[in-house]
C-alpha cells in the first residue's frame, strides 16, 4: 500500500487510533498510539518523534531524540484492541541527518536484503522459521538477594496426574510424549486453531499447527516461508498474536527456550533458500538433491555457527537446550534426514521449489530481524568463498563411538562462549555495512552486562539441594 492507500484503508475500517510499532535491540516490540487525525501522507516521510534513550541498547541521554517512520506496506488492523486501531511498523532514523539508525533491527534486515541483491547471487532470501513455544496456565517467579524461584503449571503437566482437580480426568502427556496424540490428551487444539486463524486474518500464511514433544503445553505453529524482511515483521506479529490469544483465554505463552527441566526445549528450526528471477537456486543434482551453491551455503553456516549463535540463540537460557548428548542439534554437521545435525536438508518433497536447507540450532528467543540477517550473511559468505561443508553425517550421532564423535564440532555451550565466538568471527557480518561494528559491540556489551553477569552472580536454587549441607 501507498500512504494514500493506507489512509483510505483506515477510513474504510473505521480506525480511530494509529499504533506505531518498532523492534527494540534485544527483540521486544515497542509501541505508542496517536489519534487517526495525526496521520497524514506527510507522516510517512516526516515520522514521529520518541525518546531513544529509554529503549534498551540504543541512545545515550544526551542524544535521545529519534524518529520512527511508518512503513505504509505494513498497515493492518489490530485484532485485539477494543477501539479500531490501525497498526504500522516503522523504521528508525536520526532526526537531524535522516539516516537509518544502525541499531534498528529492521534496518539491519533491510540492508541484508539489499546486500544479497548487490552480490548478484540472488534477489530474494526466503526464511521459514518453525517457532516452538509453551502454553502455561500459571507462572510465578522472583529473584531477590535472599530468594529466587520459579513456578510453572499446566493442566497438561505430567506432574499433575495426582492433583485433586475436582475431578482430575487424567490425560496428561508424559515427558517427551506430546508429539502428537489427539484430544483429550491434547488439551490445546482449539486455542492453537484460534491463534492460527488470527494470524491468517492478518494476512500471515500458516502451514500447520500441532502439539510438540514436551508435556505441559508445548506447541508449534508453522508460518509459510516469506522474504527475510517480511518474515521479520511476521515473527513479531506471531509472538504478539500468540501471547494475546493466550491471555484472552486465561493462559500464557512463553518463547523461552528451556522453561522445563527434564523435557524438550523450544527450538526455531529455520528453513533458508535463495532465489533469483523467480527460480530456486538451492535445487540441483548434488547430495540430497541440492545444488553446489546450497552445499556452499551449508559450509558457511557450519563455519560461522558458533558466532551465529550469539544472535540465533541469544539468551543464557538458550544453552540449557543446546546440551551435547541430548536431542538438541548442537553437532556442526549436515544430513538429509538426521535431525541431530545442525543443518538438515528436508526430504518431504522433490520439487525444486521446495528445496532448501534447514538450520536447526536457532531458538525463538531471538530477534528475528537480526537472526535471519546473520544467517543470510553466513550463507552468502559460504557461497562467495565456495566453502566445502565436508561429507554429510547420516549416522545416528548419539550412537557414534567416542573417537568418531570427537571429530564432530559442537555449537557453543554457553552465551559467553557464543559472544566470544562473535568477537573472533564477525567480518562476514560487516560486509555491505549490514551489521556495523557499533551494533556488534553494543550487542556483546549489553548481553554481558544485562544478562550474563546478572545470571552468573546469583545462586541457583538447585545449588541449595547440592551444597547447603556441606
Amino acid at each position: 500500500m501507498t500512504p494514500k492507500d493506507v489512509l483510505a484503508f483506515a477510513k474504510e475500517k473505521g480506525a480511530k487510533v494509529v499504533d506505531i510499532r518498532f523492534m527494540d535491540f534485544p527483540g521486544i516490540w515497542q509501541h505508542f498510539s496517536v489519534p487517526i487525525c495525526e496521520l497524514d501522507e506527510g507522516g510517512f516521510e516526516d515520522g514521529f518523534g520518541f525518546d531513544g534513550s529509554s529503549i534498551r541498547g540504543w541512545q545515550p541521554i544526551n542524544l535521545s531524540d529519534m524518529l520512527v517512520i511508518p512503513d505504509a506496506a505494513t498497515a493492518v488492523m489490530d485484532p485485539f484492541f477494543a477501539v479500531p486501531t490501525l497498526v504500522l511498523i516503522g523504521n528508525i532514523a536520526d532526526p537531524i541527518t535522516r539516516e537509518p539508525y544502525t541499531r534498528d533491527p529492521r534496518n539491519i534486515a533491510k540492508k541484508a536484503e539489499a546486500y544479497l541483491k548487490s552480490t548478484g547471487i540472488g534477489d530474494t532470501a526466503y526464511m521459514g522459521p518453525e517457532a516452538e513455544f509453551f502454553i502455561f496456565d500459571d507462572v510465578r517467579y522472583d529473584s531477590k538477594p535472599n530468594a529466587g524461584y520459579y513456578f510453572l503449571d499446566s493442566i497438561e503437566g505430567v506432574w499433575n496426574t495426582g492433583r485433586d482437580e475436582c475431578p482430575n480426568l487424567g490425560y496428561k502427556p508424559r515427558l517427551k510424549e506430546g508429539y502428537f496424540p489427539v484430544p483429550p490428551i491434547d488439551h490445546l487444539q482449539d486455542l492453537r486453531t484460534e491463534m492460527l486463524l488470527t494470524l491468517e486474518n492478518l494476512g500471515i500464511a500458516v502451514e500447520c499447527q500441532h502439539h510438540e514433544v514436551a508435556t505441559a503445553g508445548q506447541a508449534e505453529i508453522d508460518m509459510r516461508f516469506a522474504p527475510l524482511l517480511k518474515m521479520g515483521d511476521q515473527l513479531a506479529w506471531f509472538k504478539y498474536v500468540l501471547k494475546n490469544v493466550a491471555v484472552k483465554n486465561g493462559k500464557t505463552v512463553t518463547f523461552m527456550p528451556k522453561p522445563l527441566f527434564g523435557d524438550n526445549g523450544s527450538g526455531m528450526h529455520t528453513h533458508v533458500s535463495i532465489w533469483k528471477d523467480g527460480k530456486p537456486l538451492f535445487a540441483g543434482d548434488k547430495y540430497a538433491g541440492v545444488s553446489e551453491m546450497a552445499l556452499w551455503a551449508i559450509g558457511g553456516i557450519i563455519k560461522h555457527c558458533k558466532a551465529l549463535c550469539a544472535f540465533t540463540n541469544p539468551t543464557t537460557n538458550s544453552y540449557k537446550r543446546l546440551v551435547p548428548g541430548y536431542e538438541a542439534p548442537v553437532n556442526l554437521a549436515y544430513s538429509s534426514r538426521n535431525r541431530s545435525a545442525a543443518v538438515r536438508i528436508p526430504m518431504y518433497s522433490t520439487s525444486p521449489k521446495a528445496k532448501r536447507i534447514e538450520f536447526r540450532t536457532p531458538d525463538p528467543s531471538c530477534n528475528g530481524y537480526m537472526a535471519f540477517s546473520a544467517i543470510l550473511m553466513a550463507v552468502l559468505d559460504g557461497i562467495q568463498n565456495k566453502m566445502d561443508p565436508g561429507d554429510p553425517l547420516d549416522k545416528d550421532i548419539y550412537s557414534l563411538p567416542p573417537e568418531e564423535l570427537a571429530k564432530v564440532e559442537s555449537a557453543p555451550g554457553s552465551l559467553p562462549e557464543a559472544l566470544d565466538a562473535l568477537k573472533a568471527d564477525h567480518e562476514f557480518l560487516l560486509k555491505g555495512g549490514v551489521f556495523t561494528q557499533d551494533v556488534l559491540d553494543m550487542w556483546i556489551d549489553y548481553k554481558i552486562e544485562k544478562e550474563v553477569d546478572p545470571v552468573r552472580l546469583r545462586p541457583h536454587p538447585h545449588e541449595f539441594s547440592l551444597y547447603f549441607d556441606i
Side-chain angles (χ1 to χ4, degrees), residues 13 126 165 172 209 300 312:
K13 296 296 183 180
Y126 286 108
E165 295 179 345
K172 318 289 188 186
Q209 61 93 344
T312 61

Side-chain angles (χ1 to χ4, degrees), residues 54-353:
S54 295
I55 305 299
R56 297 180 298 173
W58 278 9
Q59 292 294 85
I61 192 71
N62 60 311
L63 297 171
S64 60
D65 289 356
M66 301 290 287
L67 287 177
V68 54
I69 302 174
D71 183 341
T74 66
V76 293
M77 295 297 291
D78 187 275
F80 302 107
F81 293 159
V83 174
T85 300
L86 176 74
V87 176
L88 292 166
I89 301 174
N91 301 307
I92 310 303
D94 184 280
I96 298 174
T97 67
R98 310 288 297 187
E99 288 292 315
Y101 186 44
T102 57
R103 296 182 200 165
D104 174 11
R106 195 169 192 265
N107 178 40
I108 292 171
K110 291 175 69 176
K111 289 190 291 182
E113 288 192 324
Y115 177 67
L116 167 63
K117 293 176 182 177
S118 75
T119 65
I121 292 171
D123 51 40
T124 307
Y126 286 108
M127 297 285 163
E130 299 176 357
E132 298 169 345
F133 54 97
F134 278 87
I135 303 169
F136 291 124
D137 293 299
D138 190 26
V139 54
R140 287 175 277 138
Y141 53 87
D142 207 344
S143 181
K144 305 175 183 178
N146 68 320
Y149 75 96
Y150 66 90
F151 177 85
L152 304 169
D153 208 2
S154 165
I155 187 65
E156 285 194 354
V158 68
W159 53 83
N160 285 325
T161 55
R163 183 172 67 176
D164 186 0
E165 295 179 345
C166 303
N168 188 325
L169 300 178
Y171 301 116
K172 318 289 188 186
R174 287 179 285 271
L175 295 174
K176 299 183 180 295
E177 293 188 19
Y179 187 91
F180 31 41
V182 297
I185 297 175
D186 179 359
H187 293 67
L188 301 167
Q189 168 70 15
D190 289 339
L191 183 63
R192 294 194 308 269
T193 295
E194 184 178 345
M195 293 169 175
L196 180 158
L197 294 176
T198 305
L199 290 167
E200 287 200 323
N201 288 339
L202 288 165
I204 298 173
V206 178
E207 294 184 334
C208 70
Q209 61 93 344
H210 58 83
H211 205 289
E212 255 300 337
V213 172
T215 189
Q218 192 182 32
E220 178 176 315
I221 299 176
D222 295 338
M223 293 179 282
R224 183 173 174 79
F225 65 89
L228 188 153
L229 178 63
K230 183 177 181 180
M231 184 53 75
D233 291 342
Q234 289 188 176
L235 185 60
W237 270 112
F238 181 88
K239 292 184 177 184
Y240 175 78
V241 165
L242 269 56
K243 290 175 181 178
N244 279 281
V245 169
V247 167
K248 188 175 76 170
N249 287 275
K251 297 184 184 291
T252 188
V253 158
T254 182
F255 293 93
M256 188 175 175
K258 187 69 171 178
L260 295 181
F261 168 69
D263 212 335
N264 283 37
S266 294
M268 190 180 77
H269 309 147
T270 301
H271 298 254
V272 183
S273 63
I274 295 178
W275 291 47
K276 187 174 185 179
D277 298 328
K279 297 179 181 179
L281 302 182
F282 280 7
D285 58 1
K286 303 298 181 183
Y287 172 80
V290 300
S291 64
E292 190 170 43
M293 180 185 289
L295 291 177
W296 292 336
I298 293 170
I301 289 178
I302 291 175
K303 175 179 173 59
H304 297 300
C305 183
K306 293 184 179 182
L308 285 179
C309 284
F311 291 109
T312 61
N313 305 80
T315 69
T316 59
N317 185 255
S318 297
Y319 299 88
K320 302 294 194 296
R321 167 181 171 259
L322 293 182
V323 179
Y326 293 86
E327 294 184 13
V330 300
N331 302 285
L332 304 190
Y334 72 102
S335 175
S336 62
R337 300 174 74 177
N338 191 340
R339 292 170 186 263
S340 59
V343 181
R344 189 174 75 95
I345 301 170
M347 300 300 290
Y348 299 125
S349 173
T350 58
S351 168
K353 292 184 177 181

